[in-house]
Amino acid sequence: MSKEEVRQVIELLPEHLELTHQEEGCISFEVKHSHDPFLWEVQEVFDSMKSFKHHQSRAASSVWGVQTQNIKLQ
């Protein structure tokens, strides 16, 4: 992850968190920096696989998904 990608995540994350928390079936969703400022920890709990798949689909087509789609996941 580059410095520009970190900036982009920080800019887009609040809306992504808000929209995810509003999703039906979202029990908890957290994204935070790890010990390394270029790595993020994601903890997400949904009430069913159906809710989780809906989240993935919604997020992929959102501003968050479009703008961060090329950021490499580890």
Side-chain angles (χ1 to χ4, degrees), residues 12-71:
L12 297 172
L13 188 56
E15 180 181 34
H16 179 56
L17 289 169
E18 181 179 337
L19 292 173
T20 300
H21 286 136
Q22 293 174 7
E23 290 178 18
E24 186 175 331
C26 178
I27 295 172
S28 67
F29 187 78
E30 287 186 60
V31 180
K32 59 185 178 179
H33 272 115
S34 68
H35 63 282
D36 179 336
F38 293 96
L39 294 176
W40 298 77
E41 295 176 3
V42 178
Q43 295 181 340
E44 51 194 344
V45 179
F46 290 84
D47 67 0
S48 67
M49 185 56 73
K50 181 180 177 182
S51 295
F52 178 64
K53 288 183 183 260
H54 171 76
H55 161 70
Q56 288 183 312
S57 176
R58 187 218 41 92
S61 63
S62 70
V63 171
W64 167 267
V66 172
Q67 295 292 320
T68 63
Q69 68 182 339
N70 293 320
I71 295 176

